[in-house]
Amino acid sequence: MPAATPVLLVSDHVAGAVHLLTLPDGSVAGRLTGRHLSEHAGFLALPGGRVACVDDRRGELLVLDPFAEQLVERTVPVAVPAEHLACDPSGRRLAVTTGLGKNSEPWSDLLTVVDLATGEAARVRTRAGEPGVTVLGGGDPLVVLRHREPGALAVHRFADLLGAPPGCPRVVPHAVLALPDDGHGDAYVPGPELVFAATSEGVHRARRTGDALTAEAVVPWGSSARGWYLRFDTRRQALWTTLRGGDPDPLRWPEWSNQAWRHELGTGRTLLTELGPGLVFRLALARRHTAFSRIHPDGDELILLDADGAARRFPLPGMDGAPRRGGTPWEGVQRRAVAASPGSDWIAVTRGGHGEVHIVDAETGQEAARPRLSTPLHHGGHLVLRVRNDGADGDPVGR
């Protein structure tokens, strides 16, 4: 497949299928079956257009190369249910945390580390919860776990974890930096070696100093709402999230407020853009736009923000089984997933339950294709869009 060809991996984690599509026509170029990928851990961009993800049923890390003749490049056994997935800037060393899965409370404390160059892997015990993870590069890579209740950034040497004896021994952090108890959302910027964690207070920032972290000033939200998700924008050198406000009761979801939050790392400027009420989940970063899907009983839409924060809105057809007033947006309902690549102007957004993917040109807002897949994409599925050398691997945290 030519290097400049955009490709889209579409996971139906309920049906256990992964579809490979070429863009913009949406032609199916490949398919995996019997693969139930972790929607929560998401997809991790690796160098060369490759992608890492976790099969939660088989307990395997998958390395996929959508540009090669064989889609599956490698599999490595890992502990599940996968909570978060990250790698070092080289894409060689990976870490997978475990947590909740389909359970009402976190129960697993296992962490898996993998060296793709040597094939080595090890599992250790850390602390039960819903830990986020980043893997810092350099001569001695570090694994930083973001814990909750009590909140902390726990620092481990990657080499120590990989060299742990069999039997999943308990490990003690090399260094600890305190956080508030409600952390949720992680980012890592490799150049300045900065780690970010979202809490109700704002975005906590820490810089690597040797084998430890030093706290820096907290970045305020600039709003009464907060973000639950962080993403590093490699092209614009900025952090992104969606601020969700209003009554946290899930039954009140149609009234939730949503703001796009962008913090420029170079200038320190923060920009807020109103997105509208309802459910806004993950975002996607294209070459010159940032994409959001918004679900609401009065109508769904795709929202595209340009570099100046100006928003364009495009209606999306409704979903059978969409979240309704009086119900929650999480249990037994259809949702949407959105994907983009910093090396492309194409946006992909799913229509959960219908097996459809809208392929949209961010420059014109025109839909180029709407392929219907052989599985329904229950819960909206999950997507990743890659161009072989798009630079997406500059964000080494799974999404």
Side-chain angles (χ1 to χ4, degrees):
M1 192 177 298
T5 301
V7 296
L8 183 70
L9 287 169
V10 185
S11 166
D12 189 327
H13 52 281
V14 178
V18 181
H19 309 270
L20 173 63
L21 279 60
T22 57
L23 301 185
D25 60 358
S27 297
V28 177
R31 187 168 181 260
L32 297 177
T33 58
R35 290 295 188 177
H36 297 261
L37 303 189
S38 168
E39 191 272 343
H40 198 279
F43 287 108
L44 172 64
L46 298 177
R50 298 174 303 144
V51 173
C53 50
V54 176
D55 184 331
D56 248 352
R57 175 170 285 183
R58 295 194 189 187
E60 287 183 331
L61 173 76
L62 300 179
V63 177
L64 307 179
D65 187 346
F67 300 95
E69 289 188 13
Q70 296 293 326
L71 180 55
V72 179
E73 178 182 288
R74 175 176 293 189
T75 63
V76 180
V78 296
V80 292
E83 191 77 15
H84 290 284
L85 168 66
C87 67
D88 74 328
S90 73
R92 169 181 169 176
R93 303 168 183 90
L94 287 81
V96 181
T97 65
T98 57
L100 200 66
K102 294 294 184 182
N103 301 276
S104 59
E105 61 184 28
W107 60 275
S108 176
D109 60 358
L110 289 175
L111 164 71
T112 308
V113 291
V114 177
D115 186 330
L116 291 180
T118 64
E120 294 177 276
R123 300 183 193 184
V124 297
R125 293 180 59 197
T126 57
R127 199 177 100 193
E130 300 176 75
V133 63
T134 51
V135 184
L136 282 56
D140 187 5
L142 303 177
V143 175
V144 179
L145 300 178
R146 189 256 313 141
H147 289 294
R148 303 174 70 179
E149 299 175 347
L153 291 174
V155 183
H156 301 263
R157 295 188 184 94
F158 188 94
D160 292 344
L161 300 178
L162 192 63
C168 305
R170 183 175 295 280
V171 294
V172 176
H174 172 71
V176 175
L177 190 65
L179 275 183
D181 288 347
D182 60 357
H184 193 290
D186 310 279
Y188 166 52
V189 181
E193 296 277 36
L194 287 171
V195 176
F196 298 88
T199 77
S200 59
E201 296 179 359
V203 179
H204 287 252
R205 178 171 50 189
R207 187 180 299 272
R208 177 175 181 171
T209 51
D211 286 348
L213 295 174
T214 300
E216 297 194 347
V218 176
V219 181
W221 293 123
S223 168
S224 59
R226 68 158 290 182
W228 297 90
Y229 168 82
L230 282 181
R231 184 145 195 190
F232 174 47
D233 185 338
T234 61
R235 188 167 292 274
R236 288 165 281 263
Q237 295 294 299
L239 296 178
W240 284 88
T241 191
T242 302
L243 306 187
R244 179 183 299 160
D247 190 326
D249 181 355
L251 296 178
R252 305 290 294 275
W253 74 270
E255 304 165 22
W256 287 345
S257 66
N258 298 280
Q259 297 170 301
W261 183 90
R262 184 181 80 192
H263 178 74
E264 298 173 348
L265 297 175
T267 65
R269 185 179 70 150
T270 299
L271 181 67
L272 295 176
T273 305
E274 296 293 335
L275 298 177
L279 177 66
V280 178
F281 202 35
R282 294 182 174 104
L283 58 93
L285 298 164
R287 180 153 39 202
R288 284 180 284 270
H289 295 82
T290 305
F292 304 80
S293 66
R294 184 175 70 90
I295 298 174
H296 193 272
D298 294 337
D300 298 355
E301 60 183 7
L302 173 67
I303 305 171
L304 301 179
L305 301 188
D306 64 19
D308 296 322
R312 290 184 295 157
R313 299 169 182 271
F314 306 93
L316 295 170
M319 300 176 290
D320 297 335
R324 304 296 182 192
R325 286 187 173 91
T328 80
W330 311 123
E331 287 82 25
V333 294
Q334 303 299 344
R335 291 187 293 274
R336 301 184 186 275
V338 63
S341 162
S344 170
D345 293 314
W346 296 110
I347 306 289
V349 58
T350 63
R351 189 182 182 202
H354 297 259
E356 292 182 349
V357 182
H358 304 270
I359 310 298
V360 178
D361 184 344
E363 292 294 294
T364 66
Q366 297 298 309
E367 183 176 88
R370 191 187 302 183
R372 181 185 288 269
L373 305 179
S374 58
T375 62
L377 301 181
H378 279 312
H379 306 162
H382 198 36
L383 307 172
V384 63
L385 201 161
R386 293 298 312 264
V387 180
R388 192 191 295 268
N389 296 308
D390 58 8
D393 52 291
D395 175 9
V397 179
R399 308 298 180 186

